[in-house]
Amino acid sequence: MCGIVAYIGHREAYPVVIKGLKRLEYRGYDSTGVALLNGGNLKVYKKKGKVAELEDYITGKDLKSHIAIGHTRWATHGEPSDRNAHPQMSGDGKLAMVHNGIIENYTQLKKELLSKGHQFTSDTDTEVLIHFIQEIKSSNQCSTEEALRIALKRVVGAYVILIVDEDNPDTLIAARKGSPLVIGVGKGEHFLASDASPIIEYTKEVVYVNDYEIAILKADELILKNISNEIQTPYIQKLDMELAAIEKGGYDHFMLKEVFEQPQTIFDSLRGRLDAKAGKLTLGGLREHMDMLKDANRIIIVACGTSWHAGLVAEYMIEELCRIPVEVEYASEFRYRNPVVGKGDVIIAVSQSGETADTLVAMESAKEKGAIILGVCNVVGSSIARLSNGGVYTHAGPEIGVASTKAFTAQLAVLCLIGLKIAEAKGSITGQRFQHLLDELEGVPDKVAIALKLNDQTKAIAAKYKDARDFLYLGRGYNFPIALEGALKLKEISYIHAEGYPAAEMKHGPIALVDENLPVVFVATKDRYYDKVVSNIQEIKARKGKVIAVITEGDQIISGMADDVIIVPESDELVAPIISVIPLQLLAYHIGVLKGLDVDKPRNLAKSVTVE
Ligand code: F6R
């Protein structure tokens, strides 16, 4: 979703901002732009399309400036076009603003401004906001900073905004509510961005701006205030991230790199927490909530997309290990149906980005009802992490490919740790089973490495089926959510219609789709449902469907039935999803690549969905 970058300091600002915008391309966008102060004059350049197109458009212009703001826009108000791209300017041409988020009451504000004679050149809520600020500034005869503060008190919605002001060429102003903003603190320079990726190569010292804070930046000064104009102390943190983590490192795509990183990222998600030899499991972020967790009446998992699938796997895990009822909710639905949440309920919010608006809103509403919220997040310091009362980071490292892969398997590993920890505290698991599962979890990274060796074989299967119009993905038990995840990956990356179903449910409708043209992917590793899944495969074969099956090594039965098999190492059914999803990620990746699609940035998708 939209990305912002800004620079103020001793360097040339334009190259820093353009490079930063390229680092944010993974978030998904459809237009882009920059504003800078060249010779004291405010210049704005913006274009529909990619950052490279903006660069071509600007070539040859005098871009000298030590202050600049930039934006990648994912259209909300108004189609992707040059005029709707950010930055947007005030009517007098002196202020330029980039904005992430949505101003919900912009129609009302626009009406007021129109009645005062303002004219608008775009369809955006952003242009309304910058006009509103300018209107306050001129009618109150105050500074831009003061006008911004007054304006934000009227604004309903979520935003990060950055403003450059022609009359204050050595100052950048930023404000945040509900969308992420990171400030990089250098020597005589400051960097601002939606996440740390544009900043990491310049400085590791960062400040995460909080909601309702305004930052006033000069090259060598950072003043942080709250919306009531009280000075706040910036909390400078050290980024725990290396530049290599956000580069492709020899892979053709970020997605492939991230798929192949999984033995390491799963290991990282377990590191310092799981000690199978000692039979110990430590989750510091849950320590003070353990009593409440083990006595919970109900655990409600809220999430979206792939993270929701991780929640579904966790439902099976936690119910089995802890005998606590678990509900898995689409965050977007949970919030608006006035859910029954009460004492004894624990909410677990699962999110890679930690910025997903639907999940944040669901958490806020549950918090208002008095529930305790735990977060399972990948991005340290993200909004969801900060809104949580406790939780566990997944530590998968930055995920740049829009389709989530390594974050998903890290979520599964962490959710399994959480289930085991609660079960241990509750005494709902035998010592033997607990130890067995610790051993199994510890063995997962190596088994994932073995599954990755099937890359070439999976590519050959991808070539065989890449022209199919639809795919069906089926699985039972722990593998049912993996079927959903496999279907989602294929949809996102290859634009092929795919559906995931519980294998048995197929008889109740989707079987009507089966003919010789329909590839059906079975996630059919050895578990308690195995015999039933074999019957389901027979039902598909009897109708001439093409069966691609992910099976456990040594399985002769399905090998003899399926058209194509992908063999993964044997494991306990509770951890099997972390391994069986790997070939499905690879299958989607290769089909997308073979179809010539941009797998890292699929059309219409955004990495971090910061609007509801
Ligand atoms: C799918 C995907 C999305 C996200 C969803 C939630 O590959 O990436 O479905 O899982 O938008 O995002 P997070 O996990 O950041 O809350």
Side-chain angles (χ1 to χ4, degrees):
M1 215 140 254
C2 304
I4 51 149
V5 184
Y7 176 79
I8 181 163
H10 52 79
R11 300 173 203 247
E12 278 302 326
Y14 172 74
V16 174
V17 167
I18 280 288
K19 197 168 185 190
L21 290 177
K22 288 183 178 164
R23 294 258 187 236
L24 292 180
E25 282 191 303
Y26 78 94
R27 296 168 72 91
Y29 70 104
D30 35 48
S31 58
T32 180
V34 292
L36 40 88
L37 285 169
N38 175 250
N41 297 319
L42 183 57
K43 301 264 174 66
V44 170
Y45 305 100
K46 47 193 198 161
K47 211 72 208 122
K48 179 180 168 189
K50 298 290 173 198
V51 179
E53 290 166 61
L54 175 73
E55 276 184 292
D56 287 349
Y57 167 67
I58 304 185
T59 306
K61 305 241 176 348
D62 180 3
L63 301 166
K64 284 201 173 1
S65 176
H66 293 285
I67 177 170
I69 57 177
H71 193 256
T72 48
R73 172 175 186 257
W74 189 84
T76 54
H77 295 69
E79 55 170 12
S81 63
D82 293 355
R83 71 187 178 87
N84 284 334
H86 299 197
Q88 291 290 331
M89 297 181 80
S90 57
D92 63 1
K94 288 193 177 270
L95 304 176
M97 179 163 100
V98 295
H99 163 223
N100 287 357
I102 288 185
I103 307 302
E104 287 171 15
N105 58 338
Y106 89 105
T107 324
Q108 174 60 33
L109 297 175
K110 190 168 185 174
K111 224 156 115 197
E112 289 172 28
L113 290 164
L114 283 169
S115 73
K116 289 184 175 142
H118 285 255
Q119 288 178 350
F120 296 94
T121 57
S122 80
D123 308 318
T124 63
D125 50 346
T126 306
E127 190 184 17
V128 172
L129 181 55
I130 194 67
H131 275 241
F132 185 48
I133 292 168
Q134 181 220 327
E135 174 65 32
I136 295 171
K137 192 176 169 188
S138 51
S139 56
N140 289 20
Q141 290 295 302
C142 63
S143 66
T144 305
E145 181 197 327
E146 182 60 21
L148 170 68
R149 213 174 356 259
I150 297 168
L152 292 183
K153 288 185 178 151
R154 280 272 325 266
V155 161
V156 179
Y159 52 79
V160 160
I161 53 182
L162 304 180
I163 299 175
V164 279
D165 178 355
E166 194 174 270
D167 291 338
N168 280 297
D170 61 349
T171 306
L172 232 166
I173 303 180
R176 164 199 164 134
K177 187 203 149 209
S179 283
L181 173 62
V182 189
I183 299 177
V185 182
K187 286 199 169 58
E189 57 185 349
H190 288 104
F191 306 82
L192 295 93
S194 304
D195 64 43
S197 55
I199 295 175
I200 179 88
E201 65 192 277
Y202 305 105
T203 176
K204 287 201 165 184
E205 310 230 305
V206 295
V207 173
Y208 292 96
V209 178
N210 291 311
D211 277 352
Y212 301 108
E213 282 182 347
I214 296 175
I216 303 104
L217 294 128
K218 295 186 189 301
D220 50 11
E221 185 180 69
L222 159 59
I223 297 175
L224 208 57
K225 294 181 177 177
N226 64 15
I227 205 148
S228 312
N229 204 19
E230 294 158 341
I231 300 269
Q232 309 292 299
T233 310
Y235 171 50
I236 299 181
Q237 305 186 36
K238 266 237 148 17
L239 274 179
D240 180 20
M241 190 201 279
E242 297 304 325
L243 188 58
I246 54 165
E247 300 196 319
K248 280 191 205 151
Y251 286 89
D252 288 343
H253 298 97
F254 280 110
M255 181 177 173
L256 191 61
K257 175 184 175 228
E258 287 158 8
V259 167
F260 271 84
E261 277 173 355
Q262 288 176 106
Q264 185 60 44
T265 50
I266 296 165
F267 177 79
D268 290 342
S269 70
L270 302 173
R271 188 181 16 211
R273 295 166 172 169
L274 169 68
D275 183 348
K277 237 189 221 115
K280 266 183 72 178
L281 214 161
T282 316
L283 292 176
L286 294 190
R287 198 167 291 136
E288 62 180 279
H289 306 288
M290 204 32 87
D291 280 345
M292 186 195 56
L293 268 167
K294 78 175 169 45
D295 296 331
N297 291 334
R298 196 167 54 141
I299 292 176
I300 303 169
I301 298 179
V302 292
C304 305
T306 288
S307 298
W308 185 78
H309 296 155
L312 283 183
V313 177
E315 177 180 23
Y316 285 77
M317 290 171 172
I318 295 173
E319 290 203 339
E320 177 167 342
L321 295 171
C322 316
R323 309 308 301 151
I324 298 172
V326 178
E327 281 169 31
V328 188
E329 300 272 0
Y330 284 117
S332 52
E333 288 296 316
F334 178 72
R335 161 74 174 89
Y336 290 103
R337 64 154 214 268
N338 191 14
V340 181
V341 180
K343 243 183 146 216
D345 289 337
V346 177
I347 308 281
I348 302 182
V350 184
S351 174
Q352 187 286 127
S353 62
E355 302 296 344
T356 302
D358 287 322
T359 309
L360 267 166
V361 173
M363 290 167 75
E364 276 159 5
S365 102
K367 218 170 189 182
E368 275 163 27
K369 293 177 196 283
I372 290 288
I373 320 270
L374 303 175
V376 172
C377 282
N378 195 37
V379 178
V380 176
S382 56
S383 304
I384 290 177
R386 287 189 293 170
L387 193 63
S388 303
N389 301 97
V392 188
Y393 280 118
T394 44
H395 292 320
E399 190 176 66
I400 309 289
V402 163
S404 188
T405 53
K406 64 175 182 172
F408 177 67
T409 47
Q411 286 167 348
L412 295 183
V414 161
L415 288 163
C416 188
L417 290 179
I418 292 175
L420 282 166
K421 191 72 203 166
I422 303 172
E424 184 193 30
K426 200 173 172 196
S428 55
I429 188 169
T430 64
Q432 197 186 4
R433 176 96 177 117
F434 183 73
Q435 182 60 49
H436 171 70
L437 287 172
L438 294 192
D439 293 337
E440 280 287 312
L441 256 181
E442 198 173 62
V444 165
D446 287 345
K447 290 181 183 174
V448 166
I450 294 170
L452 286 167
K453 293 201 173 122
L454 306 171
N455 187 34
D456 287 345
Q457 187 197 340
T458 313
K459 189 173 174 182
I461 297 174
K464 197 165 154 190
Y465 295 101
K466 73 176 177 23
D467 295 320
R469 206 189 56 179
D470 308 282
F471 269 71
L472 192 58
Y473 284 70
L474 301 175
R476 293 180 87 134
Y478 287 100
N479 280 329
F480 155 56
I482 298 307
L484 295 184
E485 175 60 9
L488 180 64
K489 285 290 88 91
L490 188 72
K491 274 185 268 214
E492 290 178 290
I493 299 304
S494 71
Y495 314 151
I496 294 175
H497 169 247
E499 283 197 61
Y501 258 90
E505 188 65 19
M506 173 255 308
K507 297 189 288 297
H508 302 284
I511 198 163
L513 299 170
V514 179
D515 64 14
E516 65 279 14
N517 298 315
L518 184 76
V520 183
V521 179
F522 273 91
V523 193
T525 49
K526 280 262 171 72
D527 56 22
R528 76 184 85 161
Y529 311 93
Y530 177 78
D531 292 339
K532 302 226 179 286
V533 174
V534 169
S535 307
N536 296 142
I537 293 177
Q538 265 154 352
E539 286 155 6
I540 297 291
K541 287 307 302 172
R543 286 154 187 89
K544 298 195 169 52
K546 298 279 181 289
V547 170
I548 305 159
V550 177
I551 58 170
T552 309
E553 56 193 340
D555 179 345
Q556 302 295 333
I557 299 173
I558 299 182
S559 296
M561 295 163 64
D563 296 85
D564 293 278
V565 291
I566 304 171
I567 301 170
V568 294
E570 188 170 8
S571 61
D572 190 283
E573 64 179 25
L574 206 119
V575 302
I578 318 178
I579 302 157
S580 55
V581 74
I582 305 293
L584 305 190
Q585 296 171 342
L586 286 170
L587 185 67
Y589 170 78
H590 286 302
I591 293 180
V593 171
L594 288 166
K595 288 173 90 74
L597 301 172
D598 183 352
V599 294
D600 279 341
K601 291 181 250 99
R603 68 181 178 205
N604 303 335
L605 290 177
K607 181 67 187 161
S608 134
V609 185
T610 50
V611 294
E612 280 185 68

